[in-house]
Every structure is written in structure tokens, then in C-alpha cells.
Amino acid sequence: MKRLAPVLLWVIMIISCNQKPQEKPMYTLFVGTYTDGDSEGIYTYFFDSSTGELSSKKLAAKLTNPSYLAISEDKKNLYAVQETANFDSLGGGVTAFKLKDDILELQNSMGTQGAHPCHLSLSGDGHLAVANYTGGNVSIFSLNEDGSLSENPQIIDHKPLDSVKTSHAHMAQFNTDGLMVTDLGLDAVKRYNQKDGEFVPAEQSSISFEDGAGPRHFTFGKNGQMLYVINELNSTISVFEKDGEGNYREVQVVSTLAADFDGESFCADLHLSPDGKFLYGSNRGENTIVIFAVDSDSGQLELVGREPVQGDWPRNFSMDPTGEFLLVANKKTSNIAVFKRDKENGTLIFLNETSHPNPVCLVFLD
């Protein structure tokens, strides 16, 4: 019996080692801000995906109103809008940085030829699109080999498209079909295809919305077969399905607000969970993240619930690379709230918050 004791001890040690919790990685979080208060530009944090804690705040780049950020697929460049009307005589600006770990090195800045650029995206094949909100147009830049911005962008002007409504381009996102742009002022999503080096109206050139809906941001589900658009002004999400001809047709509209909510509220951002099972949207005013389950067959939405954001005016929000946490940028209360995400039922549990001046955009480097 005594001879068995060392063997049993060795077995117990092996089992204990195998049961030791696996350490999860640290990620870099970039925070875009408005700089009309205490913020100076773009900041970084380390995010612990084991605990959901943010730490090691650092000013990565001084820049005016970097309210939207995007990182290239190869992680070598970061881009930021400068949401102003006076970068130059024509409007706002966009800036390219070299990116190494969490260090940003300025490459160059260009005017977007439209006031108050508020969103940008990358095509993956050498183009960058910027939506100019007040300018009512879209700027499409070619990128140099090092990721810097080339001169003379293509400008797609939405202002001539409607003689009554005022154009407000809010999001310009590349996809497998080309480029799609939400225009809050025109109550439409505009579609463009690339032809002979230029982006031109697609066959379904416009997807119309109810007057006053104010389409703001969108995302795709089921490999592009479903299109989800969050509408800022009437606090709804519109669901579209792609037909055999490649056109999107509306199949559902759902409210983002509680039935008993009484007050002003404006939607901002939306994201699908990594597994495509849940859709989340932010309500500024009601100050919640609304949660929907996505039907695996139809792609349509069923309300799960809503979670208070532990702050005021939730702008952009983001899920960490593990999909286990959701972080919310609360602009008016100057804090970033961290929630644990239940992958099975989609619900959120508040974990902690970090004070940060005027946060509006959260982007992870994974």
C-alpha cells in the first residue's frame, strides 16, 4: 500500500494540472473619441479576455475627432476619420497610420471633400471608403503599397439624388457585391458596383425605407443573404433578404425600444454575434443594448430583451475577439462599460466600467 502512495500522488498531480484553467490572451483595444472635451485623440487599452478588465490606458495618437476607426486585415495599418468641417476648405479629413502592436506611426492625412466624415471601411484590395455625414457624399481612396492614402479620391455625391430631402451619408461599407452606403437623410441604402476602376450605381441602386426612418448602420447575416439595418430616427431594425436576382427585399421591421418607454431615443450601432445567432443594437436615450435572437432558417429576429448600458448615450459598441464580452462606449457619461455575454441565450451581465472622456468607437486588434 505504501508503494502505491507515490503513484497515486503522481496521478493526482497530473489531473490537477489538466484541470488548471487555460489562460486567455490579452488584446489591444483602440478607442476613438471626440476631442471637444478632455480627450486628445486615439487611445489604447489592454483587455484581459479572462477577466474582462481594461488596463494600461495610453494616448496612441493626437488627432482631432477620430470618431471612427478601422484596422486593415493584415494588421499593418489603422485609419481614422477626422470628423470636422474645417480640415481644409472642403470639409473633414482621414488619416492613415502604420500599426505595430499598439504603436501608431503617422503616414499621411487627406481631405475627404465632405464635412463631418463619420465612418470608414476597407475593401481588402486597396480601397478605403469614407462616409461624409454633413457633406452628403462618399470619398473612395486608393491605397498605396504601404497603406498610405493616395490623392484624388473618387467622390460619389448623394446631394443631387433628391430635391426635397437632405443627404447624410452615414456608413460606407464594402462587401462582396461592391459598396453599400446608408443615407440617413434620404432614407435609403445606396448600392454601387466597381466597373473600370470606378464605383457606379448597381442594378438595384437604392433600397428604400419609410420616411423618417434614418438608416444608420448595417450588417450582413447568412453569408450576405440577410441584411440588417438599424434606423436612427424611428428606432427600428429593418431586415432584408436577398433574392435570386441579387436584390434585397424587406421581410421584417422590429422596434428596438421597450413598449412602455416614453421619451426620445436614437439608435446608433448594431452587430451580429460571431456565431450569427444574436443581433445587438444600441439605443441612445433609452440607454440600452437591445438583444434579438436570429432564426437560423429565416434570418428573422425575435426579441430576447434589453440591457441597461450603465451610462448615457451608447454610441459604438464592440465584441471582443473571443465573443465572450461586449463593450459599450457611453459618450455623455464618458465611460466604457464591459458586459459578459452568454453565448447560449445572448443575454448580457454587467461586469465593470472604465472612465474615459467622450468615447465613440471601440476597435479590437486581434
Side-chain angles (χ1 to χ4, degrees):
M1 189 72 179
K2 290 182 179 179
R3 293 180 180 177
L4 289 175
V7 176
L8 290 173
L9 181 60
W10 178 76
V11 171
I12 291 171
M13 289 177 65
I14 292 294
I15 293 173
S16 298
C17 289
N18 288 339
Q19 290 178 343
K20 184 180 179 181
Q22 184 179 2
E23 290 187 6
K24 295 181 179 179
M26 300 282 283
Y27 295 102
T28 298
L29 175 70
F30 286 90
V31 181
T33 67
Y34 282 127
T35 55
D36 52 355
D38 295 329
S39 174
E40 296 183 81
I42 302 171
Y43 292 80
T44 60
Y45 286 89
F46 290 142
F47 180 76
D48 189 331
S49 61
S50 295
T51 65
E53 296 285 338
L54 289 167
S55 63
S56 304
K57 173 185 173 184
K58 183 176 69 175
L59 177 62
K62 288 189 176 182
L63 199 68
T64 302
N65 287 351
S67 64
Y68 204 88
L69 314 174
I71 296 174
S72 62
E73 290 182 5
D74 62 10
K75 317 302 179 189
K76 293 182 179 180
N77 300 89
L78 181 144
Y79 302 88
V81 300
Q82 294 187 49
E83 191 176 335
T84 70
N86 57 3
F87 174 85
D88 57 21
S89 62
L90 298 176
V94 59
T95 299
F97 295 92
K98 281 187 179 180
L99 172 60
K100 185 175 182 181
D101 298 324
D102 60 343
I103 306 299
L104 296 179
E105 178 186 333
L106 178 65
Q107 289 180 288
N108 63 343
S109 297
M110 295 281 180
T112 61
Q113 300 187 36
H116 300 108
C118 60
H119 183 276
L120 52 78
S121 73
L122 296 156
S123 66
D125 64 355
H127 293 93
L128 179 144
V130 183
N132 297 304
Y133 181 80
T134 307
N137 59 9
V138 179
S139 315
I140 304 172
F141 291 85
S142 294
L143 300 177
N144 300 315
E145 285 190 13
D146 63 357
S148 59
L149 302 161
S150 294
E151 297 181 350
N152 303 315
Q154 178 188 354
I155 305 298
I156 298 176
D157 193 356
H158 283 186
K159 293 189 292 294
L161 300 181
D162 197 301
S163 60
V164 177
K165 295 181 177 181
T166 301
S167 171
H168 291 302
H170 216 311
M171 178 179 184
Q173 181 71 46
F174 292 101
N175 57 54
T176 55
D177 295 329
L179 178 69
M180 293 179 69
V181 181
T182 54
D183 197 306
L184 179 144
L186 301 186
D187 293 311
V189 171
K190 301 297 183 181
R191 300 181 66 185
Y192 300 94
N193 293 333
Q194 192 173 12
K195 183 178 180 180
D196 299 328
E198 295 279 304
F199 286 86
V200 299
E203 182 175 343
Q204 184 189 28
S205 61
S206 186
I207 304 171
S208 298
F209 291 71
E210 177 185 342
D211 284 350
R216 179 183 171 103
H217 279 198
F218 60 87
T219 190
F220 295 97
K222 296 180 70 173
N223 296 316
Q225 288 302 114
M226 305 301 297
L227 170 66
Y228 303 97
V229 184
I230 197 162
N231 299 305
E232 177 177 336
L233 302 183
N234 69 0
S235 297
T236 62
I237 295 174
S238 300
V239 181
F240 297 84
E241 185 173 15
K242 200 174 190 180
D243 65 21
E245 283 72 47
N247 298 322
Y248 284 99
R249 306 299 180 194
E250 187 177 87
V251 294
Q252 186 186 26
V253 178
V254 295
S255 174
T256 65
L257 301 175
D260 59 356
F261 176 77
D262 184 18
E264 278 196 324
S265 193
F266 304 91
C267 290
D269 199 11
L270 87 168
H271 293 283
L272 274 171
S273 60
D275 59 13
K277 293 181 178 180
F278 298 97
L279 182 71
Y280 300 85
S282 56
N283 289 308
R284 297 172 296 171
E286 187 187 60
N287 291 331
T288 60
I289 298 295
V290 63
I291 308 161
F292 293 95
V294 180
D295 185 275
S296 59
D297 294 322
S298 70
Q300 295 192 32
L301 305 177
E302 182 179 352
L303 179 66
V304 171
R306 50 184 39 80
E307 182 70 25
V309 295
Q310 308 297 320
D312 189 5
W313 219 247
R315 184 72 176 266
N316 177 240
F317 63 93
S318 181
M319 276 169 269
D320 81 308
T322 70
E324 295 183 5
F325 298 91
L326 187 146
L327 285 71
V328 182
N330 292 313
K331 177 181 176 291
K332 290 186 178 180
T333 44
S334 289
N335 71 314
I336 300 171
V338 180
F339 298 84
K340 179 71 173 176
R341 195 177 75 84
D342 188 313
K343 291 185 175 181
E344 293 302 315
N345 59 34
T347 53
L348 304 173
I349 299 173
F350 173 66
L351 291 182
N352 62 70
E353 63 176 286
T354 298
S355 296
H356 190 96
N358 300 327
V360 289
C361 185
L362 307 174
V363 176
F364 279 96
L365 177 62
D366 56 17

